[in-house]
Amino acid sequence: MNARQGSLRIGRFALLRELGRGAQATVWLAYDDRLDREVALKLLDTSSDELTIDQWLHEARAVSRLSHPHLVPVFEADESGGRPYLVFEYVAGPTLAAHVRERGGALPAREAVGLMLGVLDALAVAHERGIVHRDLKPSNVLIDNQGRARVMDFGIAARVKDPRDAGTICGTPGYISPEAARGAAPQPAMDLFAAGVMLAELLGGRRLLVERDPMRALDRVQREDLQAPATNAAGEAIDEALRGIVQRALARDPAQRTRSALALRQTLEQWLQGGVAAVASDAQADASPGHATLDFLLRRMKTRADFPALSDAVGRIQRVANSENENLSTLADEILKDVALTNKLLRLVNSAHYSAGGAVSTVSRAVALVGFAGIRNMALSLVLLEHMQDKRHAEQLKEEFLRALMAATLANELTPVAREAEESFLATMFQNLGRLLVGFYFPEEARQIRELAQPATAKSAAALDEGTAAQRVLGLTYGDIGQGVAKAWGLPDQLQRAMRVPDGDAPARSVGAGGLDRQRWLGRMATEVADAMLADGANAPRRIEDIAERYGRALGVASEQVQAASQAAQERLAQLAQAMQIQLGAKSRARRLLATPAPAADDTLDRHTLRATDMAPLDEAADKTLVQAPARDAAQVADMLAQGVQDITQHMVGESFKLNEVLRMILETMMRALGFRRVVFCLRDPKTNTLTGRFGLGEGAAEVAAAIQVPLRLAPGVPPDLFVAVCAKGADTLIADATMPAIAGRLPAWFTQKVKAPSFLLLPLLLKGAPFALIYADQAQAGGIDLDEKALALLRTLRNQGVMAFRQVG
């Protein structure tokens, strides 16, 4: 027998030899017959309970979506004979714990830091996706044959702030953080603490917290401050600057630790490059009173249940917008993950300002019509509005939001180049971020600041400017707070620089036609104009003229331009306020910002957008995978499908259209109307004559697309599976329960092994009677797809629009 065949097997994997054993699982070196490669297979102990099995499945879902050179990837997860298992890349090198033992218990400082840079790179990627490792330790880091640190075993990884995990103590005593030892919900700071412990041990050559009794170790880490070692095992002194970096990561209070894995990595990289002086200057800056005050205010914000959700929403949209692979599809996908945001954004796009004739019912077409940056800015504005709701201070918060939106809209109007205009909008909106956040999170302090800082027209000798007033009440200016939050959110450096309000008088000469300086000065001027409108009412035109005179030379705009742009911005803001359903009190000062008072939102808009019953609240605790659409009756489903058909028709009769945009609109209409778990478009590969998944929407759509393989021609004597038969006949097919024996026996291996959907719909696309494409959609439960005749007819119309689109492009 071939040694690689092995005497023990799990599924298609031959178990060659045991690599390690833990309390819940055994890790084997295994051989994959199908792909002809060695892998690491982690086999769960059969005595483990259902909760543990669920944790394993959670691990597979979380880690399979991560990809990074310093991570050990999960290839697949499955069960065999009732025993669940995970399959990882096999890394032949030792664990970091074994590596350190071989080196005598300690590593040279530069080598230790170099290894930790790779670990922190991996953590940064995981944290960005909302995943916390929670069991980081030297035995969970491998050293590959290139000397790279590879983080593995996200065995108890968890979503950030997952309330289901609160109260559960997960981790290894000696590396577990104080808050994790108390059963706190998962946070990235937990991994930073463990990384600090690991680096301290690499440098010192000995365990930081030695305790045989696990419960006593958990108790001690909550009560005692761990100390970074001053010397290594040989008695040699450890560099003080490096020791200070480690000590900050070991802080018992998570708010006092380095703010992120990326920030810790950058600090360590700085130490490697600049040594003591560079890190010392950074430490001095962090130790300033302003930094301590900001940390305190951020901690207060984080106690509010909505702040993590707001931070996550802003961060996700910005990450997509600033990714190297920036494209319309990725932004549309991100917006579609939030049902409420999707519906409100479509309402906004269908407002009078943006409407290009006919209702827009899909995010894909909205992005195509308004542009990438425009949709991003709408989404960010809606996210801020959605999260800043407080009944006690509702009118003041609406005023603050509309003031910031007015300034941003005016900046947009005064920037002639479309792309630069949207960047000006964003920079100006975020220049006002600090004031918005203080108004919501610290309303009493905001009131005190308003009382100290009188409106400009009524200033007395005793009055303070807003910056001084904020400094007196909060210890920081609004700008300082906005900058600090932007940094904590990880917003792009370019945006952080653009949102910094410039000091002093406006320059006497031009700051240029575009670029950062113009954005910053334009944002300051636009905000002053918004303040003048709010404060002065009838006298605002004269104040605006004075403001324009002061900034005109620097920005290259005449007073008449500013006046005209201000009026245009007011008209646009009135439309936006109506579309956003912002209702103002009769005496609200914010009405001065609008060209005409915005009427109360009514159902007249719904003829062109969505019913009010389609609106769903934000679910802060929801996992950030695609949120399923709210339940709808048959009439609502038919209405949404019909809107999509009309939207696609209008798009296709335009001067030009892109095939991919039409296909995405078809999938999105199906997803939003029927709440599918995922929808995938498949296309014939002419080289292999096989239908393969090309792209999709929904939970795990990319993985399903990669799995689909439907051959259109079979070898003689090979019986067709269900997918092959459906495509050959061109028959629209709904499988209500794929677990029924008559159905299960005809499903292809790729489906049963990688997709496993209990209910799915197949819509083949034919040209000249031959299948060339397929739309696949599924649900997570048997019987989950319910179609009446009208809905099925409209789905066929959508499918036929796809065929027409292919015909039009030749």
Side-chain angles (χ1 to χ4, degrees):
M1 181 180 66
N2 189 319
R4 282 189 165 183
Q5 292 179 343
S7 57
L8 297 174
R9 299 189 68 84
I10 294 292
R12 71 173 190 271
F13 301 95
L15 305 185
L16 304 181
R17 61 183 171 86
E18 187 177 309
L19 297 175
R21 182 180 292 270
Q24 298 177 341
T26 305
V27 180
W28 292 79
L29 174 63
Y31 177 68
D32 184 344
D33 292 336
R34 181 179 303 161
L35 298 177
D36 188 23
R37 64 181 177 185
E38 290 184 336
V39 295
L41 187 145
K42 185 175 179 182
L43 186 63
L44 183 65
D45 191 288
T46 52
S47 63
S48 298
D49 58 19
E50 184 177 348
L51 177 62
T52 304
I53 294 173
D54 287 342
Q55 279 187 325
W56 272 51
L57 295 175
H58 180 81
E59 172 189 359
R61 288 192 296 269
V63 185
S64 65
R65 294 192 288 269
L66 298 177
S67 177
H68 191 273
H70 290 282
L71 281 168
V72 178
V74 172
F75 291 150
E76 62 181 89
D78 209 335
E79 291 186 29
S80 178
R83 299 188 69 182
Y85 63 89
L86 299 177
V87 181
F88 298 85
E89 175 187 348
Y90 173 57
V91 179
T95 65
L96 180 58
H99 177 70
V100 172
R101 285 196 299 271
E102 292 170 3
R103 299 288 297 276
L107 299 179
R110 298 186 70 82
E111 181 183 347
V113 170
L115 287 170
M116 285 306 300
L117 294 183
V119 172
L120 292 166
D121 277 337
L123 290 178
V125 170
H127 293 171
E128 186 180 42
R129 297 292 298 270
I131 298 169
V132 180
H133 191 293
R134 291 205 294 175
D135 196 24
L136 188 66
K137 55 188 176 182
S139 60
N140 276 340
V141 177
L142 293 170
I143 307 298
D144 66 15
N145 55 14
Q146 299 178 38
R148 293 181 303 183
R150 307 279 301 277
V151 181
M152 65 172 187
D153 202 6
F154 280 70
I156 48 177
R159 285 276 163 191
V160 175
K161 284 291 184 186
D162 189 340
R164 295 169 298 182
D165 290 312
T168 303
I169 299 176
C170 295
T172 299
Y175 299 94
I176 193 171
S177 67
E179 64 274 20
R182 292 191 295 271
Q187 278 294 311
M190 295 176 177
D191 288 346
L192 296 185
F193 182 88
V197 174
M198 285 174 57
L199 183 52
E201 294 181 353
L202 293 180
L203 295 169
R206 49 187 175 270
R207 290 289 300 271
L208 216 56
L209 179 59
V210 180
E211 190 62 63
R212 290 186 176 181
D213 183 351
M215 298 307 297
R216 179 167 168 76
L218 296 176
D219 179 64
R220 284 183 58 189
V221 78
Q222 297 176 64
R223 293 184 296 101
E224 301 175 14
D225 289 319
L226 299 187
Q227 297 298 320
T231 61
N232 61 22
E236 300 167 335
I238 295 172
D239 178 82
E240 277 299 322
L242 179 57
R243 186 168 177 264
I245 297 171
V246 177
Q247 192 61 55
R248 184 173 176 186
L250 295 173
R252 266 195 295 164
D253 182 353
Q256 298 301 319
R257 292 176 206 147
T258 312
R259 65 182 180 276
S260 67
L262 183 59
L264 181 54
R265 190 209 184 284
Q266 290 171 340
T267 305
L268 290 170
E269 179 71 33
Q270 190 178 28
W271 178 84
L272 281 175
Q273 295 177 356
V276 178
V279 178
S281 63
D282 180 65
Q284 290 168 2
D286 280 354
S288 65
H291 183 273
T293 304
L294 179 61
D295 278 350
F296 172 71
L297 294 176
L298 282 173
R299 286 200 300 275
R300 284 181 61 186
M301 289 184 199
K302 289 175 182 176
T303 62
R304 295 286 293 266
D306 65 302
F307 188 79
L310 171 60
S311 305
D312 182 65
V314 172
R316 285 186 296 119
I317 293 171
Q318 273 301 110
R319 281 194 295 275
V320 170
N322 290 277
S323 68
E324 293 181 0
N325 300 316
E326 174 182 312
N327 59 67
L328 304 186
S329 298
T330 52
L331 181 61
D333 286 345
E334 194 59 51
I335 292 169
L336 281 167
K337 292 176 182 177
D338 190 324
V339 173
L341 177 61
T342 299
N343 292 337
K344 291 180 180 180
L345 187 137
L346 289 174
R347 179 182 289 275
L348 194 56
V349 172
N350 281 289
S351 68
H353 180 81
Y354 291 104
S355 180
V360 175
S361 64
T362 62
V363 175
S364 300
R365 185 157 185 250
V367 176
L369 288 173
V370 179
F372 188 94
I375 291 295
R376 172 202 60 189
N377 291 349
M378 283 189 207
L380 288 171
S381 301
L382 287 167
V383 162
L384 289 172
L385 176 64
E386 182 71 27
H387 285 273
M388 294 185 180
Q389 305 288 338
D390 187 329
K391 292 181 180 179
R392 293 173 301 170
H393 307 282
E395 286 302 316
Q396 185 62 45
L397 288 171
K398 290 176 186 175
E399 178 181 308
E400 292 290 355
F401 176 77
L402 288 173
R403 169 188 173 276
L405 190 56
M406 175 66 205
T409 304
L410 176 57
N412 180 287
E413 292 284 343
L414 286 169
T415 307
V417 180
R419 175 69 188 207
E420 292 177 3
E422 296 296 353
E423 297 304 324
S424 294
F425 177 100
L426 190 62
T428 304
M429 174 66 83
F430 275 80
Q431 276 188 2
N432 291 281
L433 178 64
R435 180 165 166 163
L436 281 169
L437 293 172
V438 171
F440 179 59
Y441 290 102
F442 314 123
E444 292 306 315
E445 288 90 337
R447 180 186 58 78
Q448 294 173 33
I449 293 169
R450 289 195 297 272
E451 290 175 354
L452 288 173
Q454 302 298 318
T457 54
K459 276 193 173 181
S460 64
L464 302 175
D465 64 83
E466 188 175 75
T468 304
Q471 188 84 40
R472 178 172 295 183
V473 175
L474 293 169
L476 292 171
T477 67
Y478 285 146
D480 293 333
I481 294 169
Q483 287 287 141
V485 171
K487 193 173 184 181
W489 283 351
L491 296 185
D493 291 341
Q494 178 74 9
L495 177 56
Q496 291 189 43
R497 291 194 294 270
M499 64 185 282
R500 188 174 296 122
V501 181
D503 296 323
D505 296 331
R509 61 181 64 184
S510 174
V511 295
L516 187 63
D517 284 343
R518 188 178 194 279
Q519 284 181 358
R520 294 174 63 198
W521 284 104
L522 179 60
R524 177 172 144 176
M525 185 194 77
T527 299
E528 287 188 23
V529 170
D531 284 337
M533 291 177 177
L534 269 175
D536 293 339
N539 296 324
R542 182 177 57 81
R543 284 283 316 284
I544 293 172
E545 184 177 354
D546 292 341
I547 294 168
E549 289 293 334
R550 285 192 284 112
Y551 289 91
R553 186 172 298 177
L555 297 173
V557 294
S559 176
E560 295 79 8
Q561 287 178 274
V562 177
Q563 294 279 6
S566 299
Q567 185 175 353
Q570 283 183 292
E571 294 171 357
R572 182 176 173 185
L573 187 63
Q575 296 169 355
L576 296 176
Q578 182 173 346
M580 291 179 174
Q581 299 180 304
I582 300 175
Q583 301 183 41
L584 299 173
K587 297 181 180 180
S588 172
R589 286 199 323 162
R591 286 183 175 272
R592 299 174 181 176
L593 297 171
L594 311 177
T596 55
D602 58 33
D603 291 337
T604 58
L605 278 174
D606 291 339
R607 291 198 301 268
H608 305 293
T609 54
L610 303 171
R611 292 187 179 88
T613 52
D614 289 334
M615 305 300 283
L618 283 172
D619 183 1
E620 295 171 3
D623 189 9
K624 298 302 180 181
T625 53
L626 187 78
V627 180
Q628 295 299 321
R632 299 183 176 90
D633 59 29
Q636 289 176 304
V637 170
D639 189 34
M640 294 189 73
L641 289 172
Q643 287 180 17
V645 169
Q646 182 182 1
D647 200 2
I648 294 165
T649 300
Q650 290 175 343
H651 185 70
M652 290 176 64
V653 299
E655 293 182 2
S656 62
F657 75 91
K658 294 180 180 178
L659 177 60
N660 281 347
E661 290 177 2
V662 172
L663 299 178
R664 282 191 55 81
M665 290 167 67
I666 292 170
L667 299 197
E668 186 183 330
T669 298
M670 294 174 62
M671 175 72 73
R672 295 192 62 243
L674 290 157
F676 288 116
R677 176 171 56 167
R678 54 204 169 203
V679 187
V680 176
F681 186 83
C682 312
L683 189 63
R684 175 178 171 270
D685 183 344
K687 294 181 179 179
T688 62
N689 201 21
T690 299
L691 292 176
T692 60
R694 296 301 177 90
F695 65 92
L697 296 174
E699 179 185 340
E703 291 81 0
V704 172
I708 293 177
Q709 298 284 328
V710 183
L712 297 179
R713 182 178 300 166
L714 296 174
V718 176
D721 61 44
L722 176 67
F723 282 75
V724 173
V726 165
C727 291
K729 294 180 180 179
D732 300 330
T733 303
L734 170 60
I735 300 299
D737 187 354
T739 64
M740 295 176 61
I743 301 297
R746 297 195 62 190
L747 295 174
W750 59 261
F751 184 90
T752 57
Q753 293 175 5
K754 298 182 179 179
V755 181
K756 303 177 184 178
S759 179
F760 60 89
L761 173 69
L762 303 177
L763 298 175
L765 283 70
L766 282 72
L767 278 174
K768 298 180 180 179
F772 72 94
L774 172 71
I775 296 174
Y776 166 89
D778 69 25
Q779 266 296 9
Q781 63 278 341
I785 304 174
D786 185 15
L787 298 174
D788 61 15
E789 287 301 319
K790 188 171 184 180
L792 185 56
L794 287 166
L795 283 174
R796 286 169 173 158
T797 301
L798 283 170
R799 180 267 312 282
N800 293 339
Q801 286 182 314
V803 176
M804 291 172 58
F806 274 94
R807 284 176 175 161
Q808 282 188 230
V809 297

